[in-house]
Amino acid sequence: MIKILEIIELRAVKKNKQDILGIIEKLHGDQITDRKIAIKIYSHSSIETDYSIHLYYEKETDENLGTELGYKLTTDLKEFGLVNHNIWIDKITGGKNNEK
C-alpha cells in the first residue's frame, strides 16, 4: 500500500472560521468512498486566516492520485481566498511499490 498525504492550504481574505470549518465538515461527512480518509485541520500560529487541511489515506497504486474530497474542498474553498492543493507520496513507509 502507498501512503498519501493530500494538502489543501487556504489563505482566507477575512475571518470566517465557522463557515470554513462548516464546509470541511460537511464535505467530509458527505464523502462517498470505500477509502478511509483521515482529516486534520491546522491553523497558522500567528496568521488566523491561514489553514492547512491534511487528508491521509492509502492506495494500491500511485495512479490517479487525489481524492474527490480533496478536489471538492479545493473548489469550494476558493470563495474564501487563495487555495493551494498538493498531493504527496510517503517514500519512507509507503511501501516498495512507490520506489522508482
Side-chain angles (χ1 to χ4, degrees), residues 8-97:
I8 298 106
E9 296 173 315
L10 169 66
R11 172 153 287 172
V13 293
K14 60 183 177 177
K15 298 178 198 174
N16 39 17
K17 182 177 182 178
Q18 292 309 315
D19 293 339
I20 292 167
L21 295 177
I23 285 175
I24 295 166
E25 289 171 4
K26 180 183 181 327
L27 288 174
H28 187 248
D30 289 348
Q31 71 177 332
I32 302 170
T33 181
D34 294 336
R35 186 183 313 159
K36 299 288 183 196
I37 301 173
I39 185 169
K40 292 199 176 224
I41 304 166
Y42 299 91
S43 60
H44 195 280
S45 62
S46 59
I47 303 171
E48 57 188 78
T49 55
D50 278 13
Y51 299 91
S52 185
I53 301 139
H54 295 205
L55 308 176
Y56 301 92
Y57 57 93
E58 293 183 351
K59 276 189 81 171
E60 292 290 332
T61 69
D62 61 358
E63 296 177 14
N64 300 320
L65 293 178
T67 59
E68 183 179 328
L69 174 61
Y71 290 114
K72 184 79 170 120
L73 279 170
T74 299
T75 301
D76 289 0
L77 291 175
K78 284 182 180 178
E79 73 178 79
F80 294 100
L82 298 173
V83 178
N84 187 30
H85 183 200
N86 290 291
I87 301 168
W88 300 85
I89 297 173
D90 184 338
K91 292 296 189 182
I92 305 289
T93 61
K96 294 183 180 179
N97 292 341

